[in-house]
Amino acid sequence: MNRFAKLTALLASACMLFSAMSIAHADDLENMLNNRQQILNQFNQDTNGNADTTFMPVRVNPPAGEQSSGSADELIKSAMGLLGVAYRYGGTSARTGFDCSGFMQHIFRRTMGLSLPRTSAEQAKMGSHVNRSELQPGDMVFFRTAGRGRISHVGLYIGNNRFIHAPRTGKNIEITSLSNKYWNSKYAFGRRVKKHDPSRFLN
């Protein structure tokens, strides 16, 4: 009987320990999710600094036939890692800062091994044209910020009507909505450059 009592006590202790561990893991998971949401909320601002409750995380797994999710994910991850780096006219490195096309050059070379041309106007000739309604994460988006003429700005589309770019002197690399009044009015088109697509060299 004494042995049975000891066994019962041992089992009860084990159950209590398991429950405590489960609670701890649950708390850790909750903290991790809260931290992730806080990071997402940092990007969830419109140009006026107001909360945008329509923000959703970037879709990582596009349906079959869309741009390779691996390439797009790597591009976006590389670009996100440079959030906050200062804009610098003519800049091509994270140490000294980037301009818009230098930023694109850097992330495409780093993640896909592709050497894009130096200027946004030249980059706008790469790959294939993409209509705005058909943009996918990893596509380049181009703008005419100097009037109706040549392309003068580029960013990386990250999904959910958002793009990441190096805006201008005095600002840092940031995420912006394509619906933003200014950028919406300057939008030109998208281009898709695939890692293993020979046509990227033909345009």
Side-chain angles (χ1 to χ4, degrees):
M1 184 69 179
N2 190 28
R3 180 179 299 176
F4 178 76
K6 288 182 178 179
L7 181 58
T8 302
L10 182 62
L11 287 172
S13 298
C15 289
M16 291 176 64
L17 179 61
F18 180 76
S19 298
M21 290 176 63
S22 297
I23 293 171
H25 286 309
D27 289 343
D28 289 341
L29 179 59
E30 183 177 358
N31 289 335
M32 182 181 72
L33 292 173
N34 287 337
N35 290 337
R36 178 179 179 274
Q37 190 58 48
Q38 288 174 7
I39 293 171
L40 290 174
N41 287 341
Q42 292 175 10
F43 307 132
N44 187 16
Q45 302 289 324
D46 64 16
T47 54
N48 297 319
N50 299 318
D52 180 356
T53 56
T54 63
F55 177 75
M56 295 173 61
V58 174
R59 177 165 55 89
V60 178
N61 298 311
E66 291 193 5
Q67 177 158 303
S68 166
S69 62
S71 296
D73 291 348
E74 288 302 311
L75 279 170
I76 293 168
K77 180 180 178 182
S78 180
M80 291 285 200
L82 296 169
L83 279 167
V85 172
Y87 176 95
R88 177 172 175 264
Y89 181 76
T92 58
S93 77
R95 184 175 59 84
T96 58
F98 291 104
D99 62 13
C100 63
S101 55
F103 177 46
M104 292 297 104
Q105 266 194 326
H106 178 82
I107 62 175
F108 273 84
R109 181 174 59 247
R110 182 177 179 184
T111 63
M112 295 175 68
L114 298 179
S115 296
L116 294 181
R118 179 63 188 91
T119 69
S120 56
E122 293 170 330
Q123 290 177 7
K125 301 174 183 177
M126 299 293 286
S128 56
H129 176 86
V130 181
N131 292 326
R132 184 166 177 171
S133 61
E134 298 174 344
L135 285 171
Q136 298 167 12
D139 290 341
M140 290 189 288
V141 285
F142 295 90
F143 304 84
R144 295 185 176 97
T145 57
R148 288 183 166 271
R150 67 180 180 84
I151 296 298
S152 52
H153 190 71
V154 60
L156 183 76
Y157 186 70
I158 62 172
N160 300 306
N161 207 39
R162 302 277 174 143
F163 68 105
I164 183 170
H165 63 140
R168 58 179 172 80
T169 301
K171 300 203 76 175
N172 301 329
I173 291 173
E174 65 180 19
I175 295 173
T176 305
S177 171
L178 283 174
S179 298
N180 169 278
K181 185 176 180 180
Y182 175 80
W183 293 108
N184 182 57
S185 68
K186 303 298 183 181
Y187 182 84
F189 51 78
R191 302 287 291 186
R192 182 169 302 148
V193 179
K194 296 182 180 180
K195 186 172 185 178
H196 302 295
D197 182 4
S199 69
R200 68 182 185 273
F201 300 113
L202 303 179
N203 295 321

